[in-house]
Amino acid sequence: MNDPATAGVYAEIAAIVARYASEEGTHSPIDGLFIVRRTSPTLPLHAHQWPSFWLVAQGRKCVTVGDEELHYGVGDCLLVALDMPVTSQITEASEARPHLCVGVAINPARLADLMGRLPEAASAAPDGVRGVGVNPASPELLDATLRLLRLLDRPQDVAAVAPLIEQEILYRLLSGPQGARLLHIAGAEGQGRRVTRAVAWLREHFAQPLRIEALAEHVGMSESSLHHHFKAVTNMTPMQYQKQLRLYEARRLMLAGLDVGAAGFEVGYQSPSQFSREYRRLYGQPPAKDIETMRTPMAAE
């Protein structure tokens, strides 16, 4: 990073994150704002990621969507434009230089309201834009994010000022290099918006048998169009997306104490052998063994 001004912004972001995330893990000091501190690389963590953007102030991270790996670090912005099952892993962190990261949730209603006030030319976006991506963070986005973090030192200003800065952050995302991604997914019309509706249906009904023809009819697309555009946006087919949602939820249930058979049935598997086979394919171990591994201190994320 050759620009001294930009380097100074990142240094201040890192200092604020380090001060308010003094303990390991993810913290949310303001509604919708997340700060992360990790002092060592982590194992891959399979999780559901909601619409948000993330800036790394120190260290590096990798997010896998389908079979696509996205690596990002200082200078980059990761944007997640719709609900996605992802695998995330911190790849660079140490006690001396911990991984420090800041994220801001994207409120769909506030985003839609802002989009309705943009010039008409800004509402057009091409089809086939991936719902998750990494681009260089713009100076304007960095400045707005830093001002949001500075509110942590002025808690009396949070209620009045944080919503204004959040709106500016959404505008900077829409008008920056990631704008087409948000416009494609969140626009009132177009195939991206229909994919968003398909994702919402799958999240709500993931334990039910998936009939592609019914899902396509529900979102107003042909089956072939649904497959094509869903894969373009999520890097997964609807069936693969549903499978990951099922297995992520089953893992969560087992970590909470449910036994293997009950967890598989709860998320929609009628065949224990199929559940075990698909679980092992995703997580690398049979369900019981994986949960045992996850509960050991070394597996803590």
Side-chain angles (χ1 to χ4, degrees), residues 227-289:
H227 269 288
H228 172 74
H229 291 284
F230 196 99
K231 182 70 182 287
V233 169
T234 69
N235 202 32
M236 288 173 270
T237 67
M239 189 71 73
Q240 290 169 332
Y241 188 100
Q242 182 202 48
K243 185 182 299 184
Q244 290 207 22
L245 291 180
R246 284 181 166 186
L247 295 174
Y248 289 4
E249 176 63 9
R251 196 188 212 194
R252 186 192 70 80
L253 291 171
M254 288 185 290
L255 285 169
L258 209 61
D259 65 66
V260 173
F265 183 79
E266 183 73 18
V267 301
Y269 283 94
Q270 302 301 313
S271 166
S273 61
Q274 181 188 6
F275 171 59
S276 182
R277 183 171 59 252
E278 293 186 353
Y279 190 100
R280 181 169 188 162
R281 189 176 298 132
L282 178 62
Y283 291 115
Q285 299 185 102
K289 180 64 175 175

Side-chain angles (χ1 to χ4, degrees), residues 110 114 117 144 147-148 151 157-172:
R110 293 170 189 163
L114 178 60
R117 291 182 276 125
R147 283 186 279 112
L148 182 62
L151 289 180
D157 294 342
V158 168
V161 181
L164 303 177
I165 300 178
E166 178 192 4
Q167 179 172 269
E168 180 184 349
I169 286 172
L170 291 176
Y171 174 74
R172 298 304 179 189

Side-chain angles (χ1 to χ4, degrees), residues 179-198:
R181 204 176 305 282
L182 277 178
L183 290 167
H184 179 55
I185 301 304
E189 301 296 336
Q191 304 293 10
R193 184 59 182 168
R194 294 185 178 95
V195 169
T196 301
R197 291 204 297 269

Side-chain angles (χ1 to χ4, degrees), residues 54-154:
W54 298 84
L55 297 172
V56 171
Q58 194 167 272
R60 289 191 66 80
K61 193 170 183 179
C62 174
V63 169
T64 303
V65 183
D67 58 2
E68 180 181 14
E69 289 188 354
L70 299 171
H71 296 265
Y72 64 107
V74 179
D76 299 320
C77 170
L78 172 78
L79 176 68
V80 183
L82 76 168
D83 289 339
M84 293 284 287
V86 304
T87 302
S88 64
Q89 182 174 17
I90 293 169
T91 57
E92 185 181 300
S94 67
E95 288 281 355
R97 288 185 59 80
H99 172 86
L100 300 172
C101 183
V102 56
V104 176
I106 295 174
N107 183 297
R110 293 170 189 163
L111 178 64
D113 176 69
L114 178 60
M115 288 173 60
R117 291 182 276 125
L118 292 176
E120 187 173 341
S123 64
D127 282 341
V129 177
R130 188 81 79 214
V132 180
V134 173
N135 285 87
S138 69
E140 295 81 9
L141 179 62
L142 286 175
D143 177 68
T145 304
L146 175 56
R147 283 186 279 112
L148 182 62
L149 285 168
R150 284 173 176 165
L151 289 180
L152 297 178
D153 291 330
R154 302 192 305 275

Side-chain angles (χ1 to χ4, degrees), residues 192-214:
R193 184 59 182 168
R194 294 185 178 95
V195 169
T196 301
R197 291 204 297 269
V199 163
W201 190 94
L202 286 169
R203 286 207 54 78
E204 188 173 345
H205 303 92
F206 67 85
Q208 299 178 13
L210 176 58
R211 294 174 54 244
I212 294 297
E213 64 273 20

